[in-house]
Amino acid sequence: STAKDGKIRRTRGNFKTARQGAAKVIERTYAAPFYAHSTIEPPAAIADYKGDGTVEIWAPTQHPQWARQAVAAALDIDYKQVKMNVTLLGGGFGRKSKPDFVVEAALLSKAAKSPVRVQWTRQCDLNHDFYHSLSAQRIKATIDKDGKISGWNHHTVFPAIGATGNADEVHPSDGELGLGCTDFPYNVPHIQIETHESKAHTRIGWLRSVSNIHHSFAINCMMDELAEARGVDPLQQALEYLGEDRNITFTEEMPGGKYENYGEPIDAFPWNTGRMKRVIERVAKEAGWGNALPEGQSLGFASQKSFLTYVACIVKVQKDTNGKISIPEVHYAVDCGVAVNTDRIRSQFEGGAQFATSLAMTSAITFENGKVKQNNFDTYQIIRMPQSPKKIHVHIVESQEKPTGVGEPPVPPYIPALCNAMYKLTGERIYKLPFGS
């Protein structure tokens, strides 16, 4: 459906004008699959429904308020009669924000008139997740006679999270588009961003970084390809098109001015090009970008602002004499405002690189005759130790700005940085995830 005209969600200038006057047009389609959260600890909960109509619950929930309200609704009691004890979470990645497994335990406890422990199996977990939606992105970019990027036309299609509960919601929400798509920050004169209808045929939910995952993959890989076509360095191109240090809002280019900015006021948490440029310059310095590399090694670059945090990433890949590819080194530069707990920031980025490597290389949920084919980690692959990045360097930029997120921002720039590095090593562009080892 991305080949047709879509619903316009952001416009600047006139893309048709850029297309007509282009010296070169590059058009690519990027695809990403359904992903499962695949937490090492599947959902579990204990519920004790008591004779007085109250219930006490112990659960690793990311959203205890929602779980409490959902249990109250399922049992037809006041939410004040639900006591929620939040246990250690283990892995969550968004899956344990959903209250379904907690409600199950409460209903079973009431029926059994006894405390009940619900423990999902790995097969149940993979077969009945709230998946990260599959997606297709078609980007058409134009280069003018002076070698400048003149136009950017991005078509994005994926089932909206809201479609899980509302079948009439067939376009991504403004909030989902603001996760790396309509907030395209580069100073290109003609921009047109469009969406297309896509119904949800399974449960869709939040997975770490949400639609930043597929948007960043497509945009950063296309920007790398544009840099090559223009004969310029991709990192320098990013700095060039971020332009002068300034705040940008996007709202004047969107129908109704709907840019949600992760739920925060844009004046309190503006999109600042200077902060992004500084993390790009920092990661280039720390990773030795531009230095000569030994044969069989390459670097890839990408940057992404997500959850109000600015991140630039450089991934190194290498191929040994037997043709085996590994990831010896990763560099992140991050501006998350005031760095409150630097150990936790580093651990989030270290884990985020491992998580993103699985999304890029090995993980995918597929369906056959309406049923999920993957039942365990033998078929839903997450990376093993030999595939994992070996050294992950996290460079925290000193800042006095308001503190922002660090759990989700590591993932979006890593995947395209890895893909761009793979291209420089193998000569083959990556347009579909996962791409294998």
Side-chain angles (χ1 to χ4, degrees):
S1 68
T2 62
K4 303 175 184 177
D5 290 340
K7 180 180 179 180
I8 294 177
R9 309 298 287 270
R10 180 184 170 192
T11 183
R12 172 195 294 175
N14 188 323
F15 180 76
K16 289 183 179 178
T17 300
R19 175 70 182 85
Q20 291 167 355
K24 187 167 188 176
V25 179
I26 299 176
E27 183 174 348
R28 299 288 183 256
T29 298
Y30 301 85
F34 287 108
Y35 290 118
H37 296 80
S38 62
T39 61
I40 297 301
E41 309 86 351
I46 294 173
D48 183 10
Y49 184 85
K50 305 178 191 298
D52 60 1
T54 64
V55 61
E56 185 167 8
I57 292 170
W58 295 260
T61 173
Q62 291 175 262
H63 199 327
Q65 299 89 347
W66 186 10
R68 192 182 182 200
Q69 292 167 353
V71 167
L75 298 179
D76 194 23
I77 59 177
D78 190 279
Y79 79 96
K80 294 178 182 178
Q81 294 174 270
V82 181
K83 181 179 180 181
M84 181 68 60
N85 300 287
V86 181
T87 68
L88 291 173
L89 189 69
F93 313 127
R95 172 62 183 96
K96 293 171 185 174
S97 66
K98 301 296 191 293
D100 53 340
F101 62 99
V102 184
V103 171
E104 283 182 343
L107 290 171
L108 289 168
S109 178
K110 181 178 180 181
K113 297 181 174 62
S114 173
V116 168
R117 179 176 185 264
V118 166
Q119 171 70 64
W120 283 34
T121 65
R122 177 64 60 202
Q123 180 171 347
C124 286
D125 180 39
L126 290 174
N127 287 178
H128 303 287
D129 197 359
F130 287 79
Y131 304 101
H132 180 274
S133 62
L134 83 172
S135 66
Q137 320 280 312
R138 180 169 64 90
I139 301 178
K140 185 184 295 184
T142 60
I143 300 173
D144 66 18
K145 59 182 176 56
D146 297 320
K148 300 291 186 180
I149 304 173
S150 56
W152 181 268
N153 181 208
H154 186 168
H155 296 251
T156 179
V157 55
F158 56 96
I161 291 172
T164 300
N166 177 14
D168 294 330
E169 191 167 336
V170 293
H171 281 269
S173 68
D174 292 316
E176 287 169 301
L177 291 178
L179 306 182
C181 183
T182 49
D183 53 343
F184 178 75
Y186 296 112
N187 195 20
V188 175
H190 304 283
I191 295 172
Q192 185 163 301
I193 296 174
E194 307 173 49
T195 60
H196 299 262
E197 289 190 6
S198 180
K199 295 182 179 180
H201 299 287
T202 187
R203 302 199 301 184
I204 305 297
W206 303 288
L207 180 140
R208 187 179 191 177
S209 308
V210 207
S211 51
N212 278 291
I213 295 170
H214 43 260
H215 289 147
S216 181
F217 163 56
I219 291 169
N220 278 291
C221 287
M222 174 58 96
M223 289 296 290
D224 193 82
E225 192 161 349
L226 283 171
E228 182 180 48
R230 297 176 61 225
V232 300
D233 179 273
L235 189 147
Q236 293 302 319
Q237 175 181 264
L239 294 173
E240 174 190 358
Y241 280 88
L242 284 168
E244 63 183 14
D245 293 1
R246 68 198 190 285
N247 292 336
I248 46 181
T249 65
F250 313 105
T251 53
E252 66 277 6
E253 298 175 6
M254 297 181 188
K258 295 179 180 178
Y259 175 55
E260 295 193 2
N261 200 40
Y262 298 89
E264 297 292 344
I266 190 67
D267 56 343
F269 290 88
W271 212 119
N272 183 268
T273 59
R275 293 178 70 184
M276 179 58 86
K277 287 159 63 179
R278 284 189 285 278
V279 295
I280 292 173
E281 291 165 345
R282 176 71 180 274
V283 83
K285 176 183 176 182
E286 299 288 355
W289 182 266
N291 296 341
L293 291 170
E295 185 177 353
Q297 291 189 359
S298 66
L299 297 177
F301 158 78
S303 61
Q304 182 82 356
K305 178 177 180 281
S306 68
F307 296 87
L308 309 174
T309 291
Y310 302 80
V311 182
C313 181
I314 290 175
V315 177
K316 178 186 286 186
V317 294
Q318 70 178 21
K319 183 188 292 186
D320 65 19
T321 54
N322 296 318
K324 186 175 179 61
I325 292 173
S326 60
I327 307 170
E329 199 166 14
V330 177
H331 284 268
Y332 281 111
V334 51
D335 178 354
C336 57
V338 174
V340 177
N341 187 324
T342 56
D343 283 346
R344 293 288 69 76
I345 295 169
R346 290 189 173 91
S347 66
Q348 286 288 354
F349 275 77
E350 290 162 356
Q354 310 287 356
F355 185 90
T357 304
S358 293
L359 302 186
M361 295 179 64
T362 62
S363 298
I365 287 289
T366 57
F367 291 80
E368 185 175 350
N369 297 322
K371 184 178 179 181
V372 174
K373 295 173 66 176
Q374 290 72 30
N375 294 322
N376 213 312
F377 287 139
D378 56 339
T379 47
Y380 188 82
Q381 291 278 329
I382 59 175
I383 57 164
R384 276 38 173 192
M385 291 298 288
Q387 298 164 299
S388 66
K390 300 304 180 289
K391 294 181 180 179
I392 303 167
H393 307 277
V394 183
H395 311 287
I396 301 170
V397 173
E398 292 286 337
S399 175
Q400 292 302 310
E401 299 287 346
K402 302 178 200 63
T404 51
V406 294
E408 307 191 68
V411 175
Y414 177 93
I415 294 172
L418 173 60
C419 292
N420 292 334
M422 289 293 296
Y423 166 69
K424 290 170 177 59
L425 187 68
T426 66
E428 295 182 8
R429 290 279 178 190
I430 295 168
Y431 302 107
K432 185 177 181 180
L433 300 177
F435 63 81
S437 55

